Amino acid sequence: MNYMKCQHCTEYSALKSEYLTFCDHCGKKFPIIYKDWLAYHPEGNLEAFGLENGITGKEYAAMERRRERKAQFTLRKKGALAFGVICFVAVLGLSFLYGPYLMAFFKEPTVSATLLQDDQWRTFKGHLIRIQTPLSLRPESPNDRPNMHKKAFQAGGKAEGIVIRMEESVFLAQASVILEEAAQLTAREMETRPGVSRFSYTSRELQLDGQPALLQQGTYVLQETSPVAFHSVIFVKGGSQVQLLVTHSADDPVGKQAADKIMTSIHLN
């Protein structure tokens, strides 16, 4: 079966018989009908008329499939747009209602001011240095490497808003460790940890009971969260090295006060 296209509404009507004169959709008359065409083609038939002035059933079926796919795509597109608008409005509404609470939830915890009170502080003594700390440092599992014995102690975490860490390394194959090289290597290890980005710091020399040490202070971003501030002191003696590291939220003034207080409390054993 062939199909005739209406010049008025552009829809197609099935050429079921020689009497098709008006469009099945809008009722307008076709400009060319079989009876008129046959007067100029006396040897013709309905099939030839349909092929000359319309399309085949196969072409019509293919056109309908394309039209159906396009309609489905348009419907999905409209649905996705409507869903996106609904989500945008919902998020916008929630941001007005709960914005401050959400920001507080995702923001890095800050240090409590009570942590600065002197009665909270106690002495922690390591292999080379001792410090005053508001939290008890606990030993971690040994992390020995070839020709190096390493110990670590840590206190604090996300709940406290501050982390205090001391790492002591003894290089078994070295009689002495160069301070500047040790500090550069330590900073490099911090910068290349997984998830660390936008790492920057400054370094300056200080004296620990008359002995040189290096203080590194800077910030970095971990896993694309809020910036973290760090304070790191590197001290070496013979073939031994110690790093005292304190980290806290970069926009936490109480955390900075606590870190400064820890750093100024360092003394050699």
Side-chain angles (χ1 to χ4, degrees):
M1 183 184 298
N2 299 313
Y3 291 79
M4 301 288 293
K5 183 178 182 180
C6 176
Q7 301 301 315
H8 300 282
C9 68
T10 70
E11 294 292 339
Y12 286 83
S13 300
L15 186 60
K16 298 178 181 178
S17 72
E18 60 190 49
Y19 301 108
L20 179 65
T21 303
F22 300 98
C23 175
D24 292 338
H25 302 276
C26 67
K28 299 291 182 65
K29 184 178 180 179
F30 287 106
I32 301 176
I33 60 175
Y34 178 67
K35 180 181 177 182
D36 296 335
W37 178 83
L38 192 60
Y40 295 96
H41 304 83
E43 301 298 327
N45 55 35
L46 189 63
E47 179 68 18
F49 170 73
L51 290 175
E52 183 176 323
N53 296 281
I55 61 175
T56 65
K58 186 177 181 180
E59 291 173 323
Y60 178 77
M63 183 188 67
E64 285 296 294
R65 286 194 297 270
R66 289 195 299 271
R67 180 184 294 183
E68 184 178 353
R69 286 195 297 268
K70 184 177 180 181
Q72 291 176 350
F73 174 77
T74 303
L75 184 62
R76 289 196 299 268
K77 189 174 181 181
K78 288 181 178 179
L81 179 61
F83 180 74
V85 171
I86 292 171
C87 289
F88 174 76
V89 173
V91 170
L92 189 63
L94 287 173
S95 67
F96 282 113
L97 291 173
Y98 303 107
Y101 303 99
L102 292 173
M103 289 299 294
F105 178 78
F106 288 108
K107 187 178 179 181
E108 288 295 318
T110 55
V111 177
S112 171
T114 59
L115 208 67
L116 297 176
Q117 297 175 3
D118 290 339
D119 58 356
Q120 297 282 336
W121 293 62
R122 75 292 313 256
T123 300
F124 177 82
K125 186 175 181 180
H127 175 59
L128 296 179
I129 64 173
R130 63 184 183 274
I131 63 171
Q132 293 296 307
T133 169
L135 301 172
S136 297
L137 276 73
R138 300 182 181 278
E140 295 187 344
S141 300
N143 186 23
D144 293 342
R145 302 177 187 176
N147 295 321
M148 183 181 74
H149 180 63
K150 189 172 185 178
K151 292 192 298 183
F153 306 86
Q154 184 165 306
K158 195 175 183 67
E160 293 80 10
I162 190 170
V163 175
I164 307 166
R165 183 177 180 85
M166 184 185 293
E167 289 191 358
E168 299 174 337
S169 303
V170 178
F171 297 87
L172 305 178
Q174 292 181 238
S176 62
V177 179
I178 299 175
L179 178 60
E180 290 76 9
E181 292 181 357
Q184 290 175 5
L185 181 60
T186 301
R188 181 60 179 166
E189 288 178 350
M190 292 177 59
E191 183 179 8
T192 55
R193 284 186 304 166
V196 170
S197 62
R198 297 196 283 279
F199 183 90
S200 65
Y201 73 98
T202 59
S203 180
R204 66 180 178 88
E205 185 175 311
L206 51 78
Q207 297 290 316
L208 298 181
D209 295 339
Q211 298 298 314
L214 281 176
L215 171 64
Q216 299 169 332
Q217 292 178 301
T219 59
Y220 62 86
V221 174
L222 181 62
Q223 304 293 353
E224 297 302 325
T225 57
S226 301
V228 176
F230 71 90
H231 313 256
S232 174
V233 167
I234 311 297
F235 175 73
V236 299
K237 183 178 181 181
S240 299
Q241 165 191 323
V242 62
Q243 179 197 22
L244 175 63
L245 175 66
V246 180
T247 61
H248 58 82
S249 178
D251 60 354
D252 180 11
V254 179
K256 185 179 185 307
Q257 291 180 54
D260 290 341
K261 189 172 181 179
I262 294 170
M263 291 300 171
T264 55
S265 74
I266 303 174
H267 289 282
L268 302 183
N269 292 329

